[in-house]
Amino acid sequence: MAQQSTEASAAASGLSKMMGKKLQILLPALLSQNGVEDGVVDMIPNENWVIREEALQIFKEAVSGHCSSKEFSYPTGLGGDSELLEAFAPILNQYFQPTVPIEPEHLVTASGVGNLVDAVAQTICDDGDSILIAGPCWGGYQALLRFHGNINIVTANTPSFYRACTSDILAALETTYSNVQDPARIRALLVCNPHNPVGRCYSAETIRSMMRFCSERGMHYISDEIFGLSMLSEDVEIGRDAGPPFVSALSIGSEGSSSEQSELPIQRSHVHVLWGLSKAFAASGIRLGVLVSQSNKLLLAGVVMSTFWQVSLPSSLYARCLLTSGRVPMLLETSVARLSSNYRTLTARLRDLGIKYIPCRSGFGLYARLAPNAETWDEEAAMVRKIREHGAAVQAGKTTSGGVDGGKGWARISFAITEEMLREGLARIETALKAH
């Protein structure tokens, strides 16, 4: 009934049938993304708030010391301002350790990694084609891959949430691919590494196997590595099952090697890596992402066409100043130290309260079972509302990944907020749970 109503309203408003269907699918999720009320500790954002003051200082310096009338002109250059691409390349080479050194001509920038996910999909997919995603996947992909095209999304989930980033994903990919009605129309595998929302990483061996899976089927391998520089410090106790450290897809394979264990198991022209400033540098509002594709000039050109409105020059200015400032190591070290400290604070309090949680190695939030006796999604939602009534906002497990193995009572809690906010939020959560 709701679908008919939405499509009828779209038609009455003079909208196309295509847009009516998109509104039906995507609008409810977009409308649900409301902010929190004044006075409520927001523990939901998947943003980095721990180095905002340092990032703000660099932004002010960029504006006061480097801004000119040039920043009010149209951007020049295909794929991004040439000085911006030149600033990105050495940072990517330093921190992602690519087998083949990254050159500016390997890069295309856009207004955020999400925009690039959409652009790559539009470049490689025809109407009705599919993208296979290694699940459980971030819900935002559903919207990104459907905003501008009729692209089907196929998710391959491991039997257990806890095993999502292990070699178990290989069997899940095989089974899912085999069960699709027209597997030949699956154009790519999209992998989020470090994984969002699981907060863990794939091993080099598993990445290599997923690449081989793609190669055998003529598929592209797309690696969303937005959290690649947002790892917790190595001295954080995360448990043995939290998985390996981050390995970029760019570092897989040795150029010209004849060893099966070191050669790239897929054509380099089919490997595409996405990264951006939002997570590592607390700059989600700057809207700047970068695509690395080292052996496919036509794909880069297609992405440029799909993201025709380029990154604004003020955003480019800030990024250039940041990436060439010499303060990147300090910012990353500060961010990792504060995230790690907050993670310790959060997990210690959860243990004190006897609350089960899933350890993570990367990212900005973890899953905790705040209502262990919940048997329905309504009971989980009631727990989230109760916490909000006591002045803290957390995200229900169902809304972020469909729950943890179908279990009820989970919530995702961000630790990428200030320490003061985290401690106050935890105190309010404790009060709410004791009153529940």
Side-chain angles (χ1 to χ4, degrees):
M1 188 69 173
Q3 180 173 358
Q4 293 177 349
S5 176
T6 301
E7 292 182 356
S9 297
S13 299
L15 275 60
S16 67
K17 292 181 180 179
M18 178 179 67
M19 182 53 67
K21 291 179 179 179
K22 288 182 179 180
L23 290 175
Q24 170 62 29
I25 295 171
L26 304 175
L27 190 58
L30 295 175
L31 292 176
S32 68
Q33 297 178 4
N34 298 321
V36 303
E37 305 86 350
D38 290 342
V40 174
V41 178
D42 192 352
M43 307 179 81
I44 295 177
N46 208 13
E47 295 182 316
N48 183 349
W49 291 4
V50 300
I51 57 166
R52 276 196 167 178
E53 290 303 316
E54 289 82 356
L56 175 61
Q57 183 59 38
I58 294 176
F59 181 83
K60 290 179 177 179
E61 292 173 6
V63 172
S64 63
H66 302 277
C67 189
S68 68
S69 59
K70 170 189 172 184
E71 271 62 58
F72 293 90
S73 296
Y74 288 116
T76 59
L78 290 177
D81 177 74
S82 61
E83 293 181 8
L84 174 62
L85 301 181
E86 291 172 1
F88 261 121
I91 297 298
L92 292 165
N93 282 320
Q94 179 178 356
Y95 289 101
F96 288 77
Q97 301 180 349
T99 297
V100 176
I102 296 169
E103 303 292 341
E105 56 263 31
H106 298 156
L107 308 177
V108 165
T109 58
S111 56
V113 168
N115 195 352
L116 287 168
V117 170
D118 169 60
V120 172
Q122 298 306 312
T123 301
I124 64 175
C125 290
D126 287 317
D127 188 70
D129 281 346
S130 300
I131 299 288
L132 179 61
I133 301 180
C137 70
W138 169 57
Y141 287 138
Q142 304 286 335
L144 292 174
L145 293 171
R146 289 173 172 162
F147 272 137
H148 297 120
N150 178 28
I151 297 175
N152 299 309
I153 299 167
V154 182
T155 305
N157 290 314
T158 54
S160 170
F161 185 94
Y162 297 84
R163 303 285 298 171
C165 294
T166 69
S167 59
D168 287 6
I169 189 61
L170 303 174
L173 292 173
E174 293 277 2
T175 300
T176 304
Y177 185 89
S178 299
N179 290 336
V180 171
Q181 185 175 4
D182 191 357
R185 297 201 67 179
I186 297 179
R187 301 289 294 131
L189 170 64
L190 173 58
V191 176
C192 188
N193 183 43
H195 197 289
N196 178 32
V198 177
R200 301 182 183 185
C201 303
Y202 295 95
S203 68
E205 181 180 357
T206 299
I207 295 172
R208 189 182 300 277
S209 295
M210 290 191 291
M211 287 180 169
R212 187 173 296 110
F213 169 88
C214 291
S215 179
E216 292 170 352
R217 293 159 179 81
M219 296 162 51
H220 293 262
Y221 184 89
I222 305 169
S223 187
D224 178 351
E225 301 185 0
I226 187 63
F227 283 100
L229 302 186
S230 299
M231 303 294 295
L232 299 178
S233 61
E234 295 181 359
D235 62 345
V236 172
E237 294 184 13
I238 55 178
R240 291 180 297 176
D241 64 342
F246 168 65
V247 175
S248 172
L250 294 167
S251 68
I252 301 296
S254 178
E255 187 76 359
S257 172
S258 60
S259 168
E260 183 178 347
Q261 294 301 314
S262 59
E263 66 181 3
L264 186 67
I266 186 174
Q267 294 180 41
R268 197 170 297 279
S269 62
H270 279 49
V271 177
H272 320 293
V273 173
L274 311 172
W275 183 68
L277 301 184
S278 61
K279 307 303 181 185
F281 298 111
S284 51
I286 295 296
R287 308 309 305 141
L288 209 166
V290 61
L291 163 68
V292 184
S293 189
Q294 296 182 289
S295 188
N296 199 326
K297 292 183 178 180
L298 282 180
L299 180 133
L300 291 174
V303 169
V304 169
M305 295 291 290
S306 299
T307 57
F308 182 75
W309 302 112
Q310 301 176 34
V311 175
S312 71
L313 286 179
S315 290
S316 295
L317 170 67
Y318 170 68
R320 294 198 313 270
C321 292
L322 167 66
L323 297 174
T324 61
S325 67
R327 285 179 278 186
V328 166
M330 178 275 293
L331 282 172
L332 293 176
E333 290 169 7
T334 302
S335 179
V336 167
R338 291 175 184 170
L339 287 171
S340 300
S341 177
N342 282 356
Y343 180 85
R344 293 188 189 96
T345 298
L346 172 57
T347 54
R349 193 69 195 117
L350 292 175
R351 288 194 299 271
D352 289 344
L353 295 172
I355 295 173
K356 182 179 180 179
Y357 65 91
I358 302 177
C360 61
R361 182 182 284 274
S362 64
F364 298 157
L366 59 69
Y367 287 91
R369 198 166 195 185
L370 302 183
N373 297 322
E375 298 181 351
T376 67
W377 296 123
D378 286 342
E379 290 177 345
E380 178 179 281
M383 171 267 294
V384 172
R385 287 195 300 273
K386 188 72 171 179
I387 291 173
R388 196 154 183 148
E389 290 169 0
H390 283 76
V394 298
Q395 193 164 19
K398 180 185 178 182
T399 64
T400 55
S401 63
V404 176
D405 294 341
K408 317 301 190 297
W410 291 88
R412 187 178 182 279
I413 305 173
S414 172
F415 53 83
I417 54 181
T418 67
E419 180 182 2
E420 181 182 5
M421 289 177 63
L422 179 64
R423 291 185 181 279
E424 179 60 29
L426 287 173
R428 296 182 184 187
I429 290 174
E430 181 179 358
T431 300
L433 295 181
K434 288 180 178 179
H436 187 61

